[in-house]
Every structure is written in structure tokens, then in C-alpha cells.
Amino acid sequence: MIIGVGTDLCNIERVEGTLARFGDRFRNRVFTPLEQARAERNAKPAAIYAKRWAAKEACSKALGTGLAMGIAWKDMSVRNLRTGQPVMEVTGWAAARLATLTPPGHHAIIHVTLTDDHPWAQAFVVIEALPIPNPA
């Protein structure tokens, strides 16, 4: 069953300007070290940061809170599988919120997709609750 859906659109040029103005202060406030490493390895780091920004916004919306109810930016993190597929991981308050949304006898999976077409980056998040298989 679907327990949350969120989407966000982010302007890459705006993120580029924020990076130029605030640099590490911005990076360290919003992105995990893993996210920063991924972005900085890329020829266009602002596009990577913008997609991850959008993913965090979309995830907070899928959790039904937005960023106003105590979720920290770094409570949501995007990493990539070896195949390149993005995966959203939650910790802290975001993980606690996810636990309250997940029905008993179920486990939650956060699906995320990212795209960009300069000057836009977009993310879409779907949170799915699947029944925990009965071992019997």
C-alpha cells in the first residue's frame, strides 16, 4: 500500500548561486558527506546537489510533514546503488516519522527517482508499506 507521495522541482542555477555564496556552510548543513562526495566527483556538482535537494523536499512531503515539523535536512540522504539507482535513507526524526506511518506488520520502502534538464532538477518519492512475510 502507498503511504506517502511527494515531488519537488529545484532550479539548478539557484543551487549553483547558493553554493557560490555559502560554499561549505550550505553543503554541510544540508548534505551528508556521502552526498557531498558524489556531487563533487561530478563535472556539474550543482545539478547533483539540486537533485538531492529536491529528493529531500519530496521525501519530507511524502512523510506528510514538509520540513517544518522537525525533520533535519541530513535526516534524509540519497545514495546510489552500483547500478546508479538512487536510494533514499532516513534517520533521526524522519525515521521516527516513517515508523509512525508504517502499519503494524508492514515494513516501509522509499522509492525515489531523480532527473534533471538544465536548469531544472526534479525528484519524485513514493513510500510503500509491504506486509512482513509470515515465516510459517
Side-chain angles (χ1 to χ4, degrees), residues 63 69-72 74-77 89-100:
L63 289 169
M69 292 181 62
I71 294 178
K74 292 198 278 186
D75 283 350
M76 300 166 287
S77 177
E89 297 173 340
V90 293
T91 58
W93 200 92
R97 173 67 179 169
L98 180 59
T100 65

Side-chain angles (χ1 to χ4, degrees), residues 8 20 53 60 63 70 93 101 104 126:
D8 194 65
W53 173 282
S60 70
L63 289 169
W93 200 92
L101 294 174
V126 175

